[in-house]
Amino acid sequence: MDSLSGTGLTLPDSLSGISAEELPVPRERSSGATVTPSAQHTAQEVAKPGVGLAVVAAIACLAQFMVVLDSSIVNVALPSMKTGLGLSATAQQWVVNGYLITFGGLLLLASRAGDLFGRRRVFQIGLVVFTAASLFGGLATDGWMLLTARVVQGAGAAALAPSSLSLITASHTESRERTRAMTWWGVAASSAGAAGIVLGGLLTAYLSWRWVMLVNVPIGVGLLAASVICLRPSVVAESRARMDTPGAVTITLAAAAIVYGVSIAPDHGWGSSQVLTLLIGGIALLAAFVAIERRSAEPLIPLDVFSIHNVRVGNILTLCMGVVITSPLFFLSLYLQQVLGQSALRTGLSLLPMVSVISVGVLLSQRLIPTIGPRRLVVAGGLVAAAGLVWLARLPAHSDYVGHVLLPTVVVGAGTSLTMMPAIVAATTGVASRNAGVASGLINMCRQLGAALGLAALVTLASTVTHNSPSTGSEAVVDGYRIAFYAVAAMSVVTALLSVLLKGARTAPRRQ
């Protein structure tokens, strides 16, 4: 499963870098139960003696809940963060983007690290990094401290997401037990998206924005203690393959340079030396990343996966969907609080229907894929989402919640929920088993980085429109938001049109 940018929801297909080769090959007992040749041995490699599989699953599920929660909980707190730390509009978007860039950029590297250095070790490192960053961010007294914390949090999340799932796949080797555990893992992740919106409002309204960061500290400490007590250190092979650290660092820096260059363009001008240096440097880093992957013995992304047509198209779709999923929540949170003057709690409750519809719709779309096919679902979902976004783009400075927010966001949520699973199915169909984890991680990375780049571009667009608007005050701000929603609607239409290029891939992902 993978985290959906901005909403914090997950898709029950992507294994975040857990390759098909790592999943045990089942055999049949005389009783008919499906087990693996070394089921008991494998389970004992994960849990200490006397620790049940339910405990391992609970640790994994709670860790994923925390990671996904943090991708959505900050949205509602952004205006309070701005007031408390004096954040600029650019800094506000980096509270979101800092997390997305390091999460997406380091995800594949972290997945590989779990294979090489042990699941428990990487899981615990991720917990320490994530928890320490949460504490640092919650105690921040300046904007740079909060932004640094969010960047480091993203690195911790990149380690936690794949390692938490690998704990389940490695310990639950009987098929029915694994299916049950992974279902709960998915429920924990999906519920975290909705919980983050509401919890962010509650904490900000009744305590402080700082608690959207600090809430992770007791959870992280508890999980770290549980992992020490309950999990056995992973057995690691003596002969280790090399990690593609240069590739991971290069792609992460490339994304950061491009996103930052776009985000400061309204203040410095597109032709300024700062913006041009960042954009050109980012493109050069992308070229360097490709060169590194071509020459690496253990590349982060084997470039031959792009020889598959649907992998290319599917990942372009996920880049676009990252924009469509993340941006509406960001702008709506600012609109409801900074323009309409709603409280953080009311804002969270106002956005909850959209997040809930996405969660339910993703599950329903899985059942439609075998009969309707990915291509038609993405076309339909992209056009429905575009219609809802055009509706949102009519936001007035003084709106009616039902007509201007609730109904259009439900339409947007319904549309985007139809596009997610089909794109993943298409982008992973035909991929060799040795590259299954790479294909999954690549989709995750594209979604996170696409969301970050798209949000930066849209904030830049909205700021430019607001600055040049003939209106003043909140009317000018809303003018910028309207154009941003129209731009997201256009991106959703592009997603629908690109999906026509998909070939075949009519089957849903095989459940393990």
Side-chain angles (χ1 to χ4, degrees), residues 21 38 74 125 138 148 157 172 180 197 201 206 224 226 234 264 278 308 323 326-327 333 378 461 479 488 496:
E21 295 168 324
S38 56
V74 298
I125 290 173
T148 300
H172 292 67
R180 186 181 299 113
I197 295 294
Y206 293 108
L224 185 61
S234 301
I264 67 171
L278 286 165
I308 303 172
V323 182
T326 303
S327 303
S333 179
V378 177
L461 175 63
D479 285 344
V488 181

Side-chain angles (χ1 to χ4, degrees), residues 6 55 91 104 118 200-201 242 248 304 315 380 395 440 480 502 504:
V55 176
R242 297 178 60 187
D304 60 349
N315 279 284
L395 282 173
S440 172
L502 292 174

Side-chain angles (χ1 to χ4, degrees), residues 149-288:
R150 288 292 287 171
V151 169
V152 178
Q153 265 190 326
L160 282 174
S163 59
S164 68
L165 184 56
S166 70
L167 290 176
I168 291 177
T169 58
S171 60
H172 292 67
T173 50
E174 195 275 319
S175 62
R176 283 174 296 190
E177 290 290 338
R178 172 182 288 182
T179 298
R180 186 181 299 113
M182 290 182 68
T183 298
W184 280 110
W185 192 85
V187 168
S190 296
S191 62
I197 295 294
V198 177
L199 186 59
L202 282 170
L203 292 174
T204 304
Y206 293 108
L207 293 174
S208 163
W209 66 263
R210 297 181 182 279
W211 280 95
V212 303
M213 302 287 287
L214 295 176
V215 70
N216 297 313
V217 176
I219 301 175
V221 171
L223 280 172
L224 185 61
S227 69
V228 172
I229 295 170
C230 302
L231 302 182
R232 185 189 297 272
S234 301
V235 177
V236 182
E238 294 183 4
S239 57
R240 296 175 178 172
R242 297 178 60 187
M243 289 180 62
D244 184 17
T245 304
V249 172
T250 304
I251 188 64
T252 304
L253 291 177
I258 294 173
V259 170
Y260 188 58
V262 171
S263 68
I264 67 171
D267 297 327
H268 297 272
W270 285 98
S272 66
S273 60
Q274 297 98 316
V275 172
L276 290 177
T277 298
L278 286 165
L279 295 180
I280 294 172
I283 294 171
L285 285 169
L286 283 177

Side-chain angles (χ1 to χ4, degrees), residues 279-302:
L279 295 180
I280 294 172
I283 294 171
L285 285 169
L286 283 177
F289 171 73
V290 174
I292 290 171
E293 299 307 281
R294 287 184 182 277
R295 298 177 182 178
S296 175
E298 295 286 341
L300 191 68
I301 304 175

Side-chain angles (χ1 to χ4, degrees), residues 81 84-88 91 95 140-150:
M81 291 175 172
L85 297 178
L87 300 179
S88 64
V95 174
T141 57
D142 204 342
W144 70 266
M145 297 175 67
L146 177 62
L147 299 184
T148 300
R150 288 292 287 171

Side-chain angles (χ1 to χ4, degrees), residues 440-451:
S440 172
L442 183 59
I443 292 169
N444 294 339
M445 184 178 73
C446 285
R447 183 177 294 108
Q448 305 291 348
L449 299 185

Side-chain angles (χ1 to χ4, degrees), residues 444-511:
N444 294 339
M445 184 178 73
C446 285
R447 183 177 294 108
Q448 305 291 348
L449 299 185
L453 180 58
L455 184 57
L458 289 168
V459 170
T460 297
L461 175 63
S463 299
T464 301
V465 171
T466 296
H467 180 73
N468 295 311
S469 173
S471 304
T472 58
S474 61
E475 288 285 355
V477 173
V478 173
D479 285 344
Y481 291 171
R482 291 191 191 109
I483 296 301
F485 283 124
Y486 278 125
V488 181
M491 182 63 72
S492 190
V493 172
V494 168
T495 302
L497 295 176
L498 285 173
S499 66
V500 177
L501 300 175
L502 292 174
K503 297 179 180 178
R506 291 184 63 86
T507 57
R510 180 172 61 88
R511 291 184 181 276

